[in-house]
């Protein structure tokens, strides 16, 4: 089986231009999702999910020329946090969490300490479990420890060097090429939001 790959340079809005806020959304965290509509000849991309999962910034390009046709920001950007000198932990002392204990299901408990020694090794969290004992979480990863007391889970964004909401984005273009659907879903949870966004002449 063989195929042909085609590439295009896609030009975004100028950082100091009319759509500078859209450029800032993509510059901060990169592209969350992208799709190409062969029938319409357009490419669309959205920015990464943000806290509260508001509508993302969206860019639409003409595939043939690479020219940006639309730059849309439906929700204002929050101030960008300063880059962290050291990667912070997701959960403060006192946070209610659930820990995965080998073959056991998720066990609930409370973060009691950070960066602890344990036997011949150590871990990032000491958690006092609700069942009466304690555990040490070796690394700060959503597969091992997650929040349970409401709010949104966080994940480390390597590009932004900051903690961001732990969510993923998906994007699908309508065949007409004038509407797209964006879904944003919390990691490890059956919860999220979907947006239908129109674009074209007179929009943005």
């Amino acid at each position: 089986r063989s195929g042909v790959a085609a590439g295009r340079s896609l030009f975004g809005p100028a950082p100091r231009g009319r759509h500078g806020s859209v450029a800032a959304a993509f510059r901060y965290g990169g592209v969350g999702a992208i799709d190409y509509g062969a029938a319409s000849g357009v490419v669309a991309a959205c920015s990464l999910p943000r806290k509260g999962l508001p509508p993302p910034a969206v860019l639409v390009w003409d595939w043939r020329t690479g020219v940006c046709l639309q730059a849309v920001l439906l929700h204002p950007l929050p101030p960008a946090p300063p880059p962290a000198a050291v990667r912070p932990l997701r959960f403060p002392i006192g946070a209610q969490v659930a820990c995965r204990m080998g073959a056991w299901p998720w066990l609930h408990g409370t973060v009691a300490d950070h960066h602890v020694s344990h036997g011949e090794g150590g871990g990032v969290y000491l958690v006092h479990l609700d069942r009466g004992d304690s555990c040490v979480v070796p690394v700060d990863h959503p597969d091992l420890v997650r929040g349970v007391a409401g709010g949104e889970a966080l994940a480390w964004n390597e590009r932004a060097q900051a903690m961001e909401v732990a969510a993923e984005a998906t994007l699908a273009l309508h065949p007409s090429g004038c509407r797209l659907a964006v879904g944003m879903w919390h990691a490890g949870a059956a919860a999220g939001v979907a947006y239908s966004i129109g674009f074209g002449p007179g929009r943005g």
Side-chain angles (χ1 to χ4, degrees), residues 2-3 7 22-23 39 45 50 76 92 103 118 136 147 152 176 183 197 201:
S2 63
V22 178
R50 291 181 279 137
H118 178 70
V136 172
E152 295 178 305
S176 67
I197 301 172

Side-chain angles (χ1 to χ4, degrees), residues 101-145:
M101 301 286 290
W104 289 89
W106 291 91
L107 300 178
H108 290 203
T110 303
V111 175
D113 203 356
H114 290 161
H115 302 293
V116 296
S117 298
H118 178 70
E120 297 181 357
V124 294
Y125 296 114
L126 172 65
V127 177
H128 293 331
L129 299 174
D130 293 351
R131 67 180 186 180
D133 57 341
S134 298
C135 72
V136 172
V137 181
V139 293
D140 189 8
H141 193 280
D143 288 344
L144 297 178
V145 59

Side-chain angles (χ1 to χ4, degrees), residues 28-30 48 83-84 87 155-164:
Y28 175 70
L48 291 180
R87 177 171 174 169
W156 181 250
N157 183 320
E158 288 289 349
R159 176 166 179 162
Q161 291 292 292
M163 285 292 182
E164 297 290 346

Side-chain angles (χ1 to χ4, degrees), residues 15 17 25 33 42 56 72 80 87 91 112 115 140 164 176 180 183-185:
V42 300
V72 179
R87 177 171 174 169
F91 302 108
H115 302 293
D140 189 8
E164 297 290 346
S176 67
L180 57 86
M184 291 183 289
W185 318 103

Side-chain angles (χ1 to χ4, degrees), residues 52-123:
L53 303 185
V58 172
L59 289 173
V60 180
W61 297 273
D62 177 76
W63 169 252
R64 185 179 61 83
T65 64
V67 171
C68 183
L69 302 176
Q70 205 83 43
V72 179
L73 183 65
L74 301 176
H75 193 274
L77 292 175
V86 178
R87 177 171 174 169
L89 296 177
R90 292 179 297 145
F91 302 108
I93 293 174
Q96 301 297 305
V97 297
C99 302
R100 192 163 193 168
M101 301 286 290
W104 289 89
W106 291 91
L107 300 178
H108 290 203
T110 303
V111 175
D113 203 356
H114 290 161
H115 302 293
V116 296
S117 298
H118 178 70
E120 297 181 357

Side-chain angles (χ1 to χ4, degrees), residues 21-35:
S21 57
V22 178
F26 282 91
R27 186 173 64 250
Y28 175 70
V31 173
I34 191 167
D35 192 26

